[in-house]
């Protein structure tokens, strides 16, 4: 399940975090034009409605049933979105929460189903007490995961009180695979497996063995769903990401931290150390890895001194340009909404705040209105998605660095990028490996070929590559300290 299917020349995933289905449906035309392969959408199943705190984003990680009315819209709106995006060749991956149901307490979910977490009763599925892990499976007195050094606790006890499904039983697998098959039959192409670390690998593969092939209306017959599993592995716990690489791809959380540390120059890191970035840094094999600079968790509760987000816009653009120009892992771009942080003692007390809107409903997306950040539309990022697509499959070449924080590299004649993460202008002749011709800087210009276009006057214009692949390139320091050229 680690193979993904894209329209030819597309590769990158965008996470439209907390967007409504109707807004994603309209965004798909823009995404198709700009070469995105797929969209990751928020968990689409019926979820708990949390009022204390009021309607946090994380209420959607507490399933009540697998019916489809959620904060993002109705079942019909979901299906319309999938069809419209598929028709444009932009595929939908859903955030798949099947390790658990809600936390404690009782109530009514977003589609009207009742639930009682204390009694472990979810009639909307239905699940009852026998479908959950209890004292026989989980060795801790609290029923919670207390020691991440014990794989049995990690898999069989509750993650922050979330009622933990017995994923090894045929009945539970039939319900969760049935939910995924419903979505596959509607045209969904992939799954981010939430909390995969908390599920036994054998249960995960038994569940996926029940999945239908993708819908033949849009996908070649025999195509399997794409799966990337959320396993946070810093190397210090009992459960490791490599236990899951045989099933599908695995999130590589070290990617965002490592690149964040390099661009921020933490711990003496330098851009020049990136020359062997990827496996050379002790990370997963790139063909197993699913990567991102930040995700919906790390941008809130991650190590905020390492992780880069839209809030550090200039460094964030450098980090994204590097991950898109380099060749490592399957890349996802984060697309966020704004919230006011309240940092006390290094922790954001507002990290729970849900998407823009009121009373638990979400506002329509208007990119760049101050509420919706739309990083995926930032020119420096979306033009680098194009660079990434053009260079797909062409190895890194023409490496250059100054031993410090200035680097340059090519992609075997398809693209070339220079990054100047130091003070002062960088100006010199580079061996680009590019064919002779005139190129535009895609970090600051609209087009890759003349006429370069004028993005608000920032465009750095044309660069000439001569017959031997040499080009004189000047890269100012400060805002957008990069030049990127591609065929
Ligand atoms: C609270 C107490 C518990 C207590 C419980 C009683 O903290 O000690 O037992 O009440 O019922 C929310 C609250 C949390 C609350 C819990 C249950 O924040 O305080 O427990 O609900 O009511 C998201 C949020 C969580 C949120 C959860 C469910 O991050 O804060 O919990 O949604 O709403 C590990 C895992 C990794 C996980 C990561 C966050 O290995 O898998 O933690 N990441 C994924 C998602 C993440 C999501 C979940 C998993 C759960 O990316 O967004 O958690 O689906 O590293
Ligand atoms: Ca579990």
């Amino acid at each position: 399940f680690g193979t993904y299917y894209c329209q030819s020349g597309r590769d990158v995933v965008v996470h439209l975090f907390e967007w409504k289905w109707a807004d994603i449906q309209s965004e798909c035309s823009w995404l198709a034009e700009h070469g995105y392969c797929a969209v990751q959408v928020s968990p689409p199943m019926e979820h708990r409605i949390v009022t204390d705190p009021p309607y946090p984003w994380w209420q959607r990680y507490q399933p009540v049933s697998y019916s489809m009315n959620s904060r993002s819209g109705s079942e019909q709106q979901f299906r319309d979105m999938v069809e419209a995006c598929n028709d444009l060749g932009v595929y939908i991956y859903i955030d798949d929460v099947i390790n658990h149901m809600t936390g404690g307490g009782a109530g009514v979910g977003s589609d009207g189903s009742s639930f009682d977490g204390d009694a472990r009763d979810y009639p909307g599925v239905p699940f009852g007490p026998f479908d959950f892990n209890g004292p026989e499976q989980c060795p801790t007195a609290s029923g919670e995961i207390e020691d991440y050094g014990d794989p049995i606790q990690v898999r069989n006890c509750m993650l922050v009180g979330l009622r933990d499904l017995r994923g090894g039983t045929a009945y539970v697998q039939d319900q969760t695979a049935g939910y995924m098959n419903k979505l596959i039959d509607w045209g969904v192409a992939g799954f981010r497996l939430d909390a995969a670390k908390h599920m036994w690998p054998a249960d995960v593969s038994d569940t996926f063995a029940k999945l239908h092939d993708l819908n033949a209306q849009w996908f070649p017959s025999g195509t399997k769903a794409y799966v990337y599993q959320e396993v946070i592995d810093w190397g210090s716990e009992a459960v490791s990401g490599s236990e899951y690489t045989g099933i599908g791809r695995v999130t590589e959380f070290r990617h965002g931290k490592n690149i964040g540390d390099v661009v921020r120059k933490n711990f003496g890191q330098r851009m020049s150390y990136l020359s062997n970035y990827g496996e050379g840094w002790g990370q997963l094999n790139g063909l197993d890895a699913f990567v991102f600079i930040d995700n919906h968790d790390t941008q809130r509760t991650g190590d905020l001194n390492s992780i880069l987000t839209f809030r550090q816009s200039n460094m964030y653009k450098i980090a994204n340009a590097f991950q898109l120009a380099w060749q490592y892992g399957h890349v996802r771009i984060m697309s966020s909404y704004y919230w006011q942080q309240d940092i006390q003692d290094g922790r954001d007390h507002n990290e729970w705040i849900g998407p823009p809107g009121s009373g638990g409903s979400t506002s329509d997306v208007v990119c760049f209105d101050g509420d919706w950040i739309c990083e995926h539309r930032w020119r420096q990022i979306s033009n680098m998605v194009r660079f990434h697509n053009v260079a797909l499959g062409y190895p890194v070449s023409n490496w250059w660095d100054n031993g410090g924080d200035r680097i340059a590299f090519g992609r075997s004649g398809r693209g070339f990028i220079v990054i100047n993460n130091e003070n002062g202008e960088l100006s010199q002749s580079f061996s680009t490996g590019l064919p002779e011709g005139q190129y535009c800087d895609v970090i600051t210009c609209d087009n890759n070929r003349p006429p370069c276009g004028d993005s608000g006057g920032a465009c750095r214009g044309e660069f000439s590559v001569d017959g031997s692949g040499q080009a004189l390139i000047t890269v100012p320091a400060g805002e957008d300290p990069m030049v990127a050229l591609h065929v």
Side-chain angles (χ1 to χ4, degrees), residues 249-279:
R249 291 221 180 205
V250 173
T251 54
E252 177 50 278
F253 275 73
R254 288 170 290 196
H255 177 84
K257 174 173 164 52
N258 283 337
I259 295 178
D261 281 336
V262 169
V263 175
R264 290 172 179 268
K265 307 180 188 176
N266 288 344
F267 315 118
Q269 291 285 17
R270 295 176 179 174
M271 298 293 288
S272 54
Y273 298 163
L274 293 170
S275 63
N276 67 339
Y277 183 72
E279 296 86 356

Side-chain angles (χ1 to χ4, degrees), residues 19 336-338 356-357 363-374 378:
W19 285 40
S336 313
Y337 61 79
Y338 181 79
S363 71
D364 294 345
V365 169
V366 178
C367 278
F368 316 133
D369 67 348
D371 279 341
W372 299 95
I373 309 291
C374 298
W378 293 6

Side-chain angles (χ1 to χ4, degrees), residues 438-449:
Q438 294 298 113
Y439 296 80
C440 307
D441 167 34
V442 299
I443 297 289
T444 55
C445 305
D446 297 334
N447 304 317
N448 68 316
R449 289 278 177 169

Side-chain angles (χ1 to χ4, degrees), residues 312-333:
Q312 299 83 31
S313 59
N314 201 33
M315 287 192 285
Y316 193 64
K317 289 181 280 186
I318 297 172
N320 271 286
F322 175 77
Q323 77 164 352
L324 288 164
W326 196 250
Q327 191 176 39
Y328 176 78
H330 188 198
V331 176
R332 177 181 61 200
I333 303 298

Side-chain angles (χ1 to χ4, degrees), residues 96 99-100 159 192-199 230-231 244:
D96 194 20
N99 170 66
H100 53 259
L159 169 65
R192 167 198 183 263
L193 187 62
D194 181 71
K197 180 196 281 183
H198 305 282
M199 305 172 71
E230 189 224 10
V231 181
Y244 295 83

Side-chain angles (χ1 to χ4, degrees), residues 99-100 133 145 153-159 164-167 195 197-200:
N99 170 66
H100 53 259
N133 288 319
I145 302 166
Q153 291 189 32
V154 174
R155 268 63 174 261
N156 289 357
C157 299
M158 291 185 291
L159 169 65
D164 200 60
L165 284 166
R166 273 177 74 186
K197 180 196 281 183
H198 305 282
M199 305 172 71
W200 294 99

